[in-house]
Amino acid sequence: MSLVDRPGSSAGPDAPVAPDAPDAAEGADALVSRVRGHLRAPRAAGVAGLAFALLFATALVLLRASPAASGDPIDIAAAQTGEVTAAFISTFYLVPFAGVAFLWFVAVARDQVDDREDRFFATILTGSGVLFVAILFVAAGIASSVTLGQQYLGDAAPGVDQVRLVRAMCYALLFVFASRAAGVFLVCFSTVAIRTRALPTWLAVSGILLGLVLMLVVTIWEWVVLALPVWVAIVSVAILV
């Protein structure tokens, strides 16, 4: 008598062996943890997207409303007191948190479509998002350098020409280069969303159109860069709802 045909056993020689109870329990725990992770990820993306939209839009409005942003010598002279202004607060405090929130949004959004997205679009999506944040940080650092030098390093007040140079550099970085990177991000993200059906079709198509606008017409009207936080806010609300 073989071990399979021993008394008390009704299984035949080819009957499958039931998995051990500990292995089955571990597999169930892993499945539950994975499902919970996917349930939490969209909410994290929505919260991060709303945080980025609010912080970035507020920082941009405060920066553009500063006296030095006009380029007028009288306004620049009035801003040379070295005091901490709203523009300094926006670039020194709001922009860094906005960049971190945007990176969080990109990471969580990618995690949702990681198994279904194309590697080519995945590379461009991540690269454009990181490049946008990097250029944003550089522009904010340059914009806050004038007040930072006067307030904390004891530097003398810069001249009108120096302030205008800083203003031109920030304009080029933010409204020319960063906006192009943001446009590439919108086009890639919306394309991936269409292919994976991660977003409604109308929302993904609008993202492609806004991305093309950011890449083509931002130097004509700089306020169009607000299309990025507005679109991200709409996507975040759609994810949360």
Side-chain angles (χ1 to χ4, degrees), residues 35-52 101 104-105 107-109 111-112 232-233 235-241:
V35 171
R36 287 179 178 175
H38 281 281
L39 289 176
R40 287 195 300 265
R43 183 168 297 276
V47 173
L50 288 177
F52 161 75
W104 189 278
F105 173 80
V108 178
D111 179 70
Q112 292 304 296
V232 171
V235 171
S236 301
V237 172
I239 292 174
L240 292 175
V241 172

PDB file of all heavy atoms in Angstrom, residues 35-52 101 104-105 107-109 111-112 232-233 235-241:
ATOM      1  N   VAL A  35      -4.338  45.661  -2.228  1.00  0.00           N
ATOM      2  CA  VAL A  35      -5.603  46.330  -2.538  1.00  0.00           C
ATOM      3  C   VAL A  35      -5.738  47.621  -1.748  1.00  0.00           C
ATOM      4  O   VAL A  35      -6.142  48.667  -2.271  1.00  0.00           O
ATOM      5  CB  VAL A  35      -6.781  45.387  -2.258  1.00  0.00           C
ATOM      6  CG1 VAL A  35      -8.101  46.137  -2.358  1.00  0.00           C
ATOM      7  CG2 VAL A  35      -6.771  44.225  -3.245  1.00  0.00           C
ATOM      8  N   ARG A  36      -5.387  47.592  -0.463  1.00  0.00           N
ATOM      9  CA  ARG A  36      -5.465  48.802   0.344  1.00  0.00           C
ATOM     10  C   ARG A  36      -4.531  49.873  -0.188  1.00  0.00           C
ATOM     11  O   ARG A  36      -4.862  51.063  -0.186  1.00  0.00           O
ATOM     12  CB  ARG A  36      -5.113  48.466   1.790  1.00  0.00           C
ATOM     13  CG  ARG A  36      -6.202  47.696   2.524  1.00  0.00           C
ATOM     14  CD  ARG A  36      -5.768  47.372   3.948  1.00  0.00           C
ATOM     15  NE  ARG A  36      -6.832  46.674   4.676  1.00  0.00           N
ATOM     16  CZ  ARG A  36      -6.693  46.190   5.895  1.00  0.00           C
ATOM     17  NH1 ARG A  36      -5.529  46.314   6.529  1.00  0.00           N
ATOM     18  NH2 ARG A  36      -7.707  45.584   6.490  1.00  0.00           N
ATOM     19  N   GLY A  37      -3.345  49.464  -0.654  1.00  0.00           N
ATOM     20  CA  GLY A  37      -2.412  50.436  -1.210  1.00  0.00           C
ATOM     21  C   GLY A  37      -2.972  51.108  -2.439  1.00  0.00           C
ATOM     22  O   GLY A  37      -2.850  52.321  -2.620  1.00  0.00           O
ATOM     23  N   HIS A  38      -3.633  50.360  -3.337  1.00  0.00           N
ATOM     24  CA  HIS A  38      -4.219  50.941  -4.535  1.00  0.00           C
ATOM     25  C   HIS A  38      -5.428  51.802  -4.198  1.00  0.00           C
ATOM     26  O   HIS A  38      -5.757  52.729  -4.931  1.00  0.00           O
ATOM     27  CB  HIS A  38      -4.609  49.835  -5.519  1.00  0.00           C
ATOM     28  CG  HIS A  38      -3.443  49.311  -6.288  1.00  0.00           C
ATOM     29  ND1 HIS A  38      -2.911  49.965  -7.371  1.00  0.00           N
ATOM     30  CD2 HIS A  38      -2.687  48.211  -6.115  1.00  0.00           C
ATOM     31  CE1 HIS A  38      -1.887  49.281  -7.855  1.00  0.00           C
ATOM     32  NE2 HIS A  38      -1.725  48.217  -7.105  1.00  0.00           N
ATOM     33  N   LEU A  39      -6.113  51.495  -3.110  1.00  0.00           N
ATOM     34  CA  LEU A  39      -7.241  52.329  -2.713  1.00  0.00           C
ATOM     35  C   LEU A  39      -6.766  53.659  -2.124  1.00  0.00           C
ATOM     36  O   LEU A  39      -7.427  54.678  -2.277  1.00  0.00           O
ATOM     37  CB  LEU A  39      -8.101  51.572  -1.691  1.00  0.00           C
ATOM     38  CG  LEU A  39      -8.901  50.380  -2.239  1.00  0.00           C
ATOM     39  CD1 LEU A  39      -9.618  49.679  -1.097  1.00  0.00           C
ATOM     40  CD2 LEU A  39      -9.889  50.813  -3.304  1.00  0.00           C
ATOM     41  N   ARG A  40      -5.630  53.653  -1.445  1.00  0.00           N
ATOM     42  CA  ARG A  40      -5.116  54.884  -0.852  1.00  0.00           C
ATOM     43  C   ARG A  40      -4.418  55.762  -1.872  1.00  0.00           C
ATOM     44  O   ARG A  40      -4.390  56.965  -1.737  1.00  0.00           O
ATOM     45  CB  ARG A  40      -4.141  54.540   0.279  1.00  0.00           C
ATOM     46  CG  ARG A  40      -4.790  54.001   1.525  1.00  0.00           C
ATOM     47  CD  ARG A  40      -3.809  54.045   2.675  1.00  0.00           C
ATOM     48  NE  ARG A  40      -2.633  53.238   2.388  1.00  0.00           N
ATOM     49  CZ  ARG A  40      -2.477  51.968   2.774  1.00  0.00           C
ATOM     50  NH1 ARG A  40      -3.442  51.376   3.435  1.00  0.00           N
ATOM     51  NH2 ARG A  40      -1.381  51.311   2.491  1.00  0.00           N
ATOM     52  N   ALA A  41      -3.823  55.167  -2.911  1.00  0.00           N
ATOM     53  CA  ALA A  41      -3.008  55.921  -3.858  1.00  0.00           C
ATOM     54  C   ALA A  41      -3.783  57.007  -4.596  1.00  0.00           C
ATOM     55  O   ALA A  41      -3.303  58.139  -4.701  1.00  0.00           O
ATOM     56  CB  ALA A  41      -2.342  54.964  -4.852  1.00  0.00           C
ATOM     57  N   PRO A  42      -4.980  56.758  -5.139  1.00  0.00           N
ATOM     58  CA  PRO A  42      -5.703  57.836  -5.807  1.00  0.00           C
ATOM     59  C   PRO A  42      -6.016  59.000  -4.884  1.00  0.00           C
ATOM     60  O   PRO A  42      -5.938  60.160  -5.293  1.00  0.00           O
ATOM     61  CB  PRO A  42      -6.987  57.142  -6.295  1.00  0.00           C
ATOM     62  CG  PRO A  42      -6.654  55.707  -6.364  1.00  0.00           C
ATOM     63  CD  PRO A  42      -5.688  55.482  -5.254  1.00  0.00           C
ATOM     64  N   ARG A  43      -6.375  58.742  -3.640  1.00  0.00           N
ATOM     65  CA  ARG A  43      -6.657  59.824  -2.712  1.00  0.00           C
ATOM     66  C   ARG A  43      -5.398  60.644  -2.439  1.00  0.00           C
ATOM     67  O   ARG A  43      -5.449  61.862  -2.338  1.00  0.00           O
ATOM     68  CB  ARG A  43      -7.225  59.257  -1.408  1.00  0.00           C
ATOM     69  CG  ARG A  43      -7.625  60.330  -0.410  1.00  0.00           C
ATOM     70  CD  ARG A  43      -8.426  59.728   0.711  1.00  0.00           C
ATOM     71  NE  ARG A  43      -9.676  59.160   0.235  1.00  0.00           N
ATOM     72  CZ  ARG A  43     -10.789  59.868   0.044  1.00  0.00           C
ATOM     73  NH1 ARG A  43     -10.795  61.165   0.288  1.00  0.00           N
ATOM     74  NH2 ARG A  43     -11.888  59.287  -0.391  1.00  0.00           N
ATOM     75  N   ALA A  44      -4.252  59.970  -2.347  1.00  0.00           N
ATOM     76  CA  ALA A  44      -2.998  60.696  -2.146  1.00  0.00           C
ATOM     77  C   ALA A  44      -2.683  61.570  -3.344  1.00  0.00           C
ATOM     78  O   ALA A  44      -2.211  62.704  -3.200  1.00  0.00           O
ATOM     79  CB  ALA A  44      -1.860  59.709  -1.891  1.00  0.00           C
ATOM     80  N   ALA A  45      -2.947  61.066  -4.553  1.00  0.00           N
ATOM     81  CA  ALA A  45      -2.713  61.870  -5.751  1.00  0.00           C
ATOM     82  C   ALA A  45      -3.634  63.080  -5.778  1.00  0.00           C
ATOM     83  O   ALA A  45      -3.207  64.182  -6.162  1.00  0.00           O
ATOM     84  CB  ALA A  45      -2.930  61.016  -7.004  1.00  0.00           C
ATOM     85  N   GLY A  46      -4.883  62.901  -5.388  1.00  0.00           N
ATOM     86  CA  GLY A  46      -5.815  64.028  -5.381  1.00  0.00           C
ATOM     87  C   GLY A  46      -5.421  65.097  -4.389  1.00  0.00           C
ATOM     88  O   GLY A  46      -5.442  66.296  -4.695  1.00  0.00           O
ATOM     89  N   VAL A  47      -5.019  64.695  -3.194  1.00  0.00           N
ATOM     90  CA  VAL A  47      -4.611  65.664  -2.177  1.00  0.00           C
ATOM     91  C   VAL A  47      -3.347  66.396  -2.615  1.00  0.00           C
ATOM     92  O   VAL A  47      -3.240  67.623  -2.477  1.00  0.00           O
ATOM     93  CB  VAL A  47      -4.404  64.960  -0.830  1.00  0.00           C
ATOM     94  CG1 VAL A  47      -3.806  65.916   0.189  1.00  0.00           C
ATOM     95  CG2 VAL A  47      -5.723  64.390  -0.319  1.00  0.00           C
ATOM     96  N   ALA A  48      -2.374  65.659  -3.150  1.00  0.00           N
ATOM     97  CA  ALA A  48      -1.129  66.284  -3.607  1.00  0.00           C
ATOM     98  C   ALA A  48      -1.385  67.237  -4.766  1.00  0.00           C
ATOM     99  O   ALA A  48      -0.789  68.321  -4.835  1.00  0.00           O
ATOM    100  CB  ALA A  48      -0.126  65.207  -4.013  1.00  0.00           C
ATOM    101  N   GLY A  49      -2.268  66.866  -5.674  1.00  0.00           N
ATOM    102  CA  GLY A  49      -2.577  67.742  -6.797  1.00  0.00           C
ATOM    103  C   GLY A  49      -3.250  69.027  -6.369  1.00  0.00           C
ATOM    104  O   GLY A  49      -2.918  70.115  -6.865  1.00  0.00           O
ATOM    105  N   LEU A  50      -4.183  68.936  -5.438  1.00  0.00           N
ATOM    106  CA  LEU A  50      -4.839  70.145  -4.933  1.00  0.00           C
ATOM    107  C   LEU A  50      -3.856  71.037  -4.184  1.00  0.00           C
ATOM    108  O   LEU A  50      -3.908  72.268  -4.299  1.00  0.00           O
ATOM    109  CB  LEU A  50      -6.005  69.760  -4.028  1.00  0.00           C
ATOM    110  CG  LEU A  50      -7.233  69.169  -4.720  1.00  0.00           C
ATOM    111  CD1 LEU A  50      -8.277  68.771  -3.685  1.00  0.00           C
ATOM    112  CD2 LEU A  50      -7.829  70.168  -5.712  1.00  0.00           C
ATOM    113  N   ALA A  51      -2.962  70.426  -3.411  1.00  0.00           N
ATOM    114  CA  ALA A  51      -1.956  71.212  -2.690  1.00  0.00           C
ATOM    115  C   ALA A  51      -1.041  71.940  -3.665  1.00  0.00           C
ATOM    116  O   ALA A  51      -0.728  73.128  -3.486  1.00  0.00           O
ATOM    117  CB  ALA A  51      -1.139  70.306  -1.771  1.00  0.00           C
ATOM    118  N   PHE A  52      -0.599  71.256  -4.715  1.00  0.00           N
ATOM    119  CA  PHE A  52       0.242  71.909  -5.711  1.00  0.00           C
ATOM    120  C   PHE A  52      -0.487  73.052  -6.397  1.00  0.00           C
ATOM    121  O   PHE A  52       0.068  74.150  -6.573  1.00  0.00           O
ATOM    122  CB  PHE A  52       0.706  70.899  -6.762  1.00  0.00           C
ATOM    123  CG  PHE A  52       1.184  71.538  -8.039  1.00  0.00           C
ATOM    124  CD1 PHE A  52       2.418  72.171  -8.088  1.00  0.00           C
ATOM    125  CD2 PHE A  52       0.388  71.531  -9.178  1.00  0.00           C
ATOM    126  CE1 PHE A  52       2.855  72.780  -9.252  1.00  0.00           C
ATOM    127  CE2 PHE A  52       0.815  72.133 -10.345  1.00  0.00           C
ATOM    128  CZ  PHE A  52       2.056  72.754 -10.387  1.00  0.00           C
ATOM    129  N   ALA A 101       4.816  68.802  -3.632  1.00  0.00           N
ATOM    130  CA  ALA A 101       3.466  68.277  -3.871  1.00  0.00           C
ATOM    131  C   ALA A 101       3.307  67.801  -5.313  1.00  0.00           C
ATOM    132  O   ALA A 101       2.655  66.782  -5.576  1.00  0.00           O
ATOM    133  CB  ALA A 101       2.427  69.355  -3.550  1.00  0.00           C
ATOM    134  N   TRP A 104       4.986  64.484  -5.724  1.00  0.00           N
ATOM    135  CA  TRP A 104       4.136  63.457  -5.109  1.00  0.00           C
ATOM    136  C   TRP A 104       2.981  63.092  -6.043  1.00  0.00           C
ATOM    137  O   TRP A 104       2.638  61.919  -6.199  1.00  0.00           O
ATOM    138  CB  TRP A 104       3.612  63.973  -3.767  1.00  0.00           C
ATOM    139  CG  TRP A 104       2.902  62.943  -2.947  1.00  0.00           C
ATOM    140  CD1 TRP A 104       1.604  62.551  -3.069  1.00  0.00           C
ATOM    141  CD2 TRP A 104       3.470  62.160  -1.896  1.00  0.00           C
ATOM    142  NE1 TRP A 104       1.311  61.592  -2.147  1.00  0.00           N
ATOM    143  CE2 TRP A 104       2.431  61.321  -1.409  1.00  0.00           C
ATOM    144  CE3 TRP A 104       4.724  62.098  -1.301  1.00  0.00           C
ATOM    145  CZ2 TRP A 104       2.650  60.438  -0.366  1.00  0.00           C
ATOM    146  CZ3 TRP A 104       4.925  61.205  -0.262  1.00  0.00           C
ATOM    147  CH2 TRP A 104       3.888  60.390   0.186  1.00  0.00           C
ATOM    148  N   PHE A 105       2.391  64.100  -6.666  1.00  0.00           N
ATOM    149  CA  PHE A 105       1.297  63.865  -7.612  1.00  0.00           C
ATOM    150  C   PHE A 105       1.773  63.010  -8.784  1.00  0.00           C
ATOM    151  O   PHE A 105       1.085  62.073  -9.201  1.00  0.00           O
ATOM    152  CB  PHE A 105       0.752  65.205  -8.103  1.00  0.00           C
ATOM    153  CG  PHE A 105      -0.268  65.092  -9.200  1.00  0.00           C
ATOM    154  CD1 PHE A 105      -1.586  64.782  -8.907  1.00  0.00           C
ATOM    155  CD2 PHE A 105       0.086  65.300 -10.521  1.00  0.00           C
ATOM    156  CE1 PHE A 105      -2.532  64.674  -9.912  1.00  0.00           C
ATOM    157  CE2 PHE A 105      -0.850  65.200 -11.536  1.00  0.00           C
ATOM    158  CZ  PHE A 105      -2.161  64.875 -11.232  1.00  0.00           C
ATOM    159  N   ALA A 107       4.355  60.916  -8.876  1.00  0.00           N
ATOM    160  CA  ALA A 107       4.695  59.563  -8.434  1.00  0.00           C
ATOM    161  C   ALA A 107       3.453  58.708  -8.228  1.00  0.00           C
ATOM    162  O   ALA A 107       3.397  57.553  -8.670  1.00  0.00           O
ATOM    163  CB  ALA A 107       5.515  59.635  -7.140  1.00  0.00           C
ATOM    164  N   VAL A 108       2.445  59.271  -7.564  1.00  0.00           N
ATOM    165  CA  VAL A 108       1.231  58.496  -7.295  1.00  0.00           C
ATOM    166  C   VAL A 108       0.456  58.251  -8.585  1.00  0.00           C
ATOM    167  O   VAL A 108      -0.098  57.162  -8.792  1.00  0.00           O
ATOM    168  CB  VAL A 108       0.361  59.219  -6.261  1.00  0.00           C
ATOM    169  CG1 VAL A 108      -0.925  58.441  -6.005  1.00  0.00           C
ATOM    170  CG2 VAL A 108       1.115  59.388  -4.961  1.00  0.00           C
ATOM    171  N   ALA A 109       0.413  59.246  -9.471  1.00  0.00           N
ATOM    172  CA  ALA A 109      -0.286  59.065 -10.739  1.00  0.00           C
ATOM    173  C   ALA A 109       0.379  57.982 -11.577  1.00  0.00           C
ATOM    174  O   ALA A 109      -0.304  57.159 -12.209  1.00  0.00           O
ATOM    175  CB  ALA A 109      -0.330  60.383 -11.498  1.00  0.00           C
ATOM    176  N   ASP A 111       2.056  55.482 -10.406  1.00  0.00           N
ATOM    177  CA  ASP A 111       1.829  54.194  -9.745  1.00  0.00           C
ATOM    178  C   ASP A 111       0.498  53.587 -10.150  1.00  0.00           C
ATOM    179  O   ASP A 111       0.355  52.364 -10.201  1.00  0.00           O
ATOM    180  CB  ASP A 111       1.884  54.387  -8.226  1.00  0.00           C
ATOM    181  CG  ASP A 111       1.635  53.082  -7.485  1.00  0.00           C
ATOM    182  OD1 ASP A 111       2.500  52.192  -7.536  1.00  0.00           O
ATOM    183  OD2 ASP A 111       0.555  52.947  -6.868  1.00  0.00           O
ATOM    184  N   GLN A 112      -0.471  54.423 -10.458  1.00  0.00           N
ATOM    185  CA  GLN A 112      -1.800  53.921 -10.816  1.00  0.00           C
ATOM    186  C   GLN A 112      -1.841  53.262 -12.185  1.00  0.00           C
ATOM    187  O   GLN A 112      -2.660  52.393 -12.449  1.00  0.00           O
ATOM    188  CB  GLN A 112      -2.812  55.061 -10.772  1.00  0.00           C
ATOM    189  CG  GLN A 112      -3.075  55.595  -9.384  1.00  0.00           C
ATOM    190  CD  GLN A 112      -3.527  54.484  -8.452  1.00  0.00           C
ATOM    191  OE1 GLN A 112      -4.574  53.889  -8.634  1.00  0.00           O
ATOM    192  NE2 GLN A 112      -2.719  54.194  -7.449  1.00  0.00           N
ATOM    193  N   VAL A 232      -4.504  70.442 -13.113  1.00  0.00           N
ATOM    194  CA  VAL A 232      -4.160  69.477 -12.075  1.00  0.00           C
ATOM    195  C   VAL A 232      -5.218  69.469 -10.970  1.00  0.00           C
ATOM    196  O   VAL A 232      -5.568  68.417 -10.426  1.00  0.00           O
ATOM    197  CB  VAL A 232      -2.766  69.799 -11.493  1.00  0.00           C
ATOM    198  CG1 VAL A 232      -2.482  68.942 -10.262  1.00  0.00           C
ATOM    199  CG2 VAL A 232      -1.696  69.562 -12.534  1.00  0.00           C
ATOM    200  N   ALA A 233      -5.757  70.648 -10.654  1.00  0.00           N
ATOM    201  CA  ALA A 233      -6.818  70.723  -9.635  1.00  0.00           C
ATOM    202  C   ALA A 233      -8.068  69.982 -10.092  1.00  0.00           C
ATOM    203  O   ALA A 233      -8.702  69.259  -9.302  1.00  0.00           O
ATOM    204  CB  ALA A 233      -7.135  72.175  -9.324  1.00  0.00           C
ATOM    205  N   VAL A 235      -8.206  67.478 -12.253  1.00  0.00           N
ATOM    206  CA  VAL A 235      -7.902  66.054 -12.210  1.00  0.00           C
ATOM    207  C   VAL A 235      -7.941  65.534 -10.778  1.00  0.00           C
ATOM    208  O   VAL A 235      -8.458  64.442 -10.503  1.00  0.00           O
ATOM    209  CB  VAL A 235      -6.519  65.799 -12.840  1.00  0.00           C
ATOM    210  CG1 VAL A 235      -6.080  64.354 -12.602  1.00  0.00           C
ATOM    211  CG2 VAL A 235      -6.553  66.083 -14.325  1.00  0.00           C
ATOM    212  N   SER A 236      -7.422  66.328  -9.843  1.00  0.00           N
ATOM    213  CA  SER A 236      -7.416  65.908  -8.439  1.00  0.00           C
ATOM    214  C   SER A 236      -8.837  65.775  -7.894  1.00  0.00           C
ATOM    215  O   SER A 236      -9.154  64.814  -7.173  1.00  0.00           O
ATOM    216  CB  SER A 236      -6.634  66.914  -7.612  1.00  0.00           C
ATOM    217  OG  SER A 236      -5.299  67.031  -8.075  1.00  0.00           O
ATOM    218  N   VAL A 237      -9.703  66.725  -8.247  1.00  0.00           N
ATOM    219  CA  VAL A 237     -11.100  66.636  -7.807  1.00  0.00           C
ATOM    220  C   VAL A 237     -11.770  65.407  -8.412  1.00  0.00           C
ATOM    221  O   VAL A 237     -12.520  64.685  -7.737  1.00  0.00           O
ATOM    222  CB  VAL A 237     -11.854  67.917  -8.179  1.00  0.00           C
ATOM    223  CG1 VAL A 237     -13.341  67.766  -7.915  1.00  0.00           C
ATOM    224  CG2 VAL A 237     -11.307  69.109  -7.389  1.00  0.00           C
ATOM    225  N   ALA A 238     -11.482  65.138  -9.696  1.00  0.00           N
ATOM    226  CA  ALA A 238     -12.057  63.952 -10.344  1.00  0.00           C
ATOM    227  C   ALA A 238     -11.590  62.673  -9.663  1.00  0.00           C
ATOM    228  O   ALA A 238     -12.370  61.727  -9.492  1.00  0.00           O
ATOM    229  CB  ALA A 238     -11.689  63.952 -11.823  1.00  0.00           C
ATOM    230  N   ILE A 239     -10.312  62.640  -9.253  1.00  0.00           N
ATOM    231  CA  ILE A 239      -9.798  61.462  -8.567  1.00  0.00           C
ATOM    232  C   ILE A 239     -10.460  61.268  -7.210  1.00  0.00           C
ATOM    233  O   ILE A 239     -10.852  60.164  -6.829  1.00  0.00           O
ATOM    234  CB  ILE A 239      -8.266  61.563  -8.410  1.00  0.00           C
ATOM    235  CG1 ILE A 239      -7.586  61.461  -9.781  1.00  0.00           C
ATOM    236  CG2 ILE A 239      -7.738  60.491  -7.475  1.00  0.00           C
ATOM    237  CD1 ILE A 239      -6.091  61.691  -9.727  1.00  0.00           C
ATOM    238  N   LEU A 240     -10.604  62.369  -6.474  1.00  0.00           N
ATOM    239  CA  LEU A 240     -11.206  62.279  -5.146  1.00  0.00           C
ATOM    240  C   LEU A 240     -12.680  61.939  -5.201  1.00  0.00           C
ATOM    241  O   LEU A 240     -13.186  61.167  -4.373  1.00  0.00           O
ATOM    242  CB  LEU A 240     -10.999  63.598  -4.401  1.00  0.00           C
ATOM    243  CG  LEU A 240      -9.564  63.934  -4.014  1.00  0.00           C
ATOM    244  CD1 LEU A 240      -9.487  65.321  -3.383  1.00  0.00           C
ATOM    245  CD2 LEU A 240      -9.009  62.890  -3.045  1.00  0.00           C
ATOM    246  N   VAL A 241     -13.379  62.481  -6.168  1.00  0.00           N
ATOM    247  CA  VAL A 241     -14.816  62.243  -6.270  1.00  0.00           C
ATOM    248  C   VAL A 241     -15.100  60.849  -6.824  1.00  0.00           C
ATOM    249  O   VAL A 241     -15.980  60.157  -6.339  1.00  0.00           O
ATOM    250  CB  VAL A 241     -15.476  63.310  -7.154  1.00  0.00           C
ATOM    251  CG1 VAL A 241     -16.926  62.968  -7.440  1.00  0.00           C
ATOM    252  CG2 VAL A 241     -15.373  64.679  -6.489  1.00  0.00           C
TER     253      VAL A 241
END
